[in-house]
Amino acid sequence: MKKFKKFYIEITSICNLSCSFCPPTERAKGFISIEDFTERLEQIKPFTDYIYFHLKGEPLLHPKIDELLDISHEKGFKVNITTNGTLLQKNKHKLLSKPAIRQMNFSLHSFDGHAGSTDKEGYIGNVLSFVREAMEQTNMIASFRLWNLTQDNMTNAERQRNREILSMIENEFGLDYLIEEKVVPGSGVKIADRVYLNQDYEFEWPDLKAKEDDGKGFCYGLRNQAGILIDGTVVPCCLDGEGVIDLGNINDRHFSDIIEGERATNLVEGFSRREAVEELCRKCGYRQRFGK
């Protein structure tokens, strides 16, 4: 039985921010129902132990996220949540008591990526306050993300933008070094027990309107990850936020049949040959990270 290291279950396609680095979905807006969520967990249980409440959308917007976490725990899943962190204080009572949560990732680059953001100090302060409580009360892992580095030399303004955030983290954890001196783009640095920070280059979501490359390369889609959009569409990876590579709908066919289907098989076999057979994959710059 194929096991996926990561399985993305989109619990909402709605977000409370509009960040420059994350194109808004053109799909229908909505929240997953308890019934659909439960059924999806039943179908994917043989294939993974770890689920991510993510693809598009802000998971903390889901009004029943506490119930989703309880169901996940009952069925033996460990949950990873990626959030912009703006709704932590409102929802912390739904999160801190849930043993299902393995890790929470905080996309701190959301603050500067959203044109309407105000009060950076208050925003970071709320995230740090939540992490402090989580470290005291739970066993969860916390990961701060700043995925906004540029491939070219960063401007002074860009460096200062991140320095303000890093300085608050350094002060919170009493660090005697500058984080920039330790972190390597694409990998994390340990800040404290169960607390990490990861900096990486900003990436572009794959888009059918983008320029196509030579199609050479490799990807872990359908090898160590898969995903299900809120409407039940099964996709090969976390970057197919529009369901372009529609492998089938879990409401019509069982997940085990979908990933053994012709389109899924062709995609996996193609990458075994270092060849992207799907048009969207040939327009995905993230694939280049795994070399040719």
Side-chain angles (χ1 to χ4, degrees):
M1 181 72 69
K2 178 187 290 187
K3 279 281 191 177
F4 296 102
K5 294 180 181 178
K6 304 175 181 179
F7 204 108
Y8 296 86
I9 296 185
E10 184 179 71
I11 64 171
T12 180
S13 54
I14 304 170
C15 190
N16 61 325
L17 300 184
S18 180
C19 296
S20 58
F21 55 81
C22 184
T25 180
E26 297 176 4
R27 295 179 286 114
K29 303 292 193 294
F31 299 98
I32 197 170
S33 69
I34 296 295
E35 294 73 24
D36 283 347
F37 180 78
T38 303
E39 172 61 25
R40 287 170 198 181
L41 292 194
E42 292 285 354
Q43 290 200 33
I44 69 169
K45 180 56 185 170
F47 299 92
T48 191
D49 299 316
Y50 300 96
I51 54 177
Y52 288 66
F53 284 3
H54 195 54
L55 235 139
K56 284 294 187 74
E58 167 52 51
L60 299 194
L61 277 174
H62 198 294
K64 296 182 178 179
I65 190 170
D66 49 346
E67 293 183 46
L68 302 184
L69 288 167
D70 287 339
I71 295 167
S72 301
H73 182 62
E74 289 167 9
K75 296 190 177 297
F77 289 96
K78 286 296 183 181
V79 178
N80 299 275
I81 297 175
T82 297
T83 173
N84 59 43
T86 58
L87 303 173
L88 285 170
Q89 295 305 307
K90 178 181 178 181
N91 287 282
K92 67 179 182 180
H93 65 288
K94 295 182 178 182
L95 303 170
L96 291 175
S97 62
K98 302 304 180 185
I101 299 179
R102 171 187 172 270
Q103 179 169 326
M104 289 194 66
N105 305 311
F106 306 98
S107 299
L108 302 185
H109 46 282
S110 300
F111 184 89
D112 291 302
H114 177 67
S117 295
T118 59
D119 187 16
K120 179 181 285 188
E121 187 172 346
Y123 163 68
I124 299 298
N126 283 336
V127 173
L128 293 174
S129 173
F130 176 87
V131 170
R132 192 182 314 125
E133 289 186 63
M135 294 305 105
E136 293 171 352
Q137 301 175 28
T138 77
N139 293 316
M140 79 171 64
I141 299 166
S143 176
F144 303 120
R145 291 180 173 181
L146 280 172
W147 289 6
N148 59 3
L149 301 180
T150 55
Q151 295 285 355
D152 302 319
N153 290 331
M154 294 185 73
T155 65
N156 288 333
E158 288 172 331
R159 273 193 289 271
Q160 179 60 26
R161 172 190 67 189
N162 283 350
R163 176 93 291 274
E164 293 170 356
I165 294 175
L166 296 175
S167 178
M168 285 184 266
I169 295 172
E170 290 160 0
N171 290 336
E172 170 69 21
F173 292 95
L175 303 184
D176 58 0
Y177 58 86
L178 296 179
I179 291 173
E180 301 98 317
E181 297 173 353
K182 300 254 185 173
V183 72
V184 175
S187 62
V189 59
K190 187 173 183 178
I191 300 296
D193 184 37
R194 293 182 286 121
V195 181
Y196 300 84
L197 183 136
N198 184 285
Q199 284 195 280
D200 209 341
Y201 298 106
E202 182 177 332
F203 68 88
E204 291 187 16
W205 286 77
D207 190 326
L208 289 177
K209 301 186 185 72
K211 185 178 178 180
E212 190 169 312
D213 62 25
D214 62 8
K216 302 297 182 183
F218 181 77
C219 181
Y220 288 99
L222 287 186
R223 290 181 187 269
N224 72 2
Q225 64 171 278
I228 306 174
L229 300 178
I230 191 171
D231 68 353
T233 300
V234 176
V235 292
C237 75
C238 62
L239 292 181
D240 188 2
E242 292 304 299
V244 173
I245 307 176
D246 182 349
L247 301 175
N249 196 292
I250 202 168
N251 297 318
D252 304 322
R253 294 164 59 201
H254 197 279
F255 177 76
S256 58
D257 294 329
I258 292 173
I259 61 166
E260 295 296 334
E262 182 179 5
R263 192 170 189 180
T265 300
N266 288 342
L267 185 147
V268 173
E269 291 180 349
F271 280 124
S272 293
R273 303 188 303 268
R274 303 278 170 175
E275 176 187 343
V277 299
E278 290 283 349
E279 180 184 0
L280 187 69
C281 299
R282 295 193 295 272
K283 296 179 176 181
C284 178
Y286 201 83
R287 190 186 81 250
Q288 302 300 332
R289 297 187 179 200
F290 306 116
K292 295 186 179 182

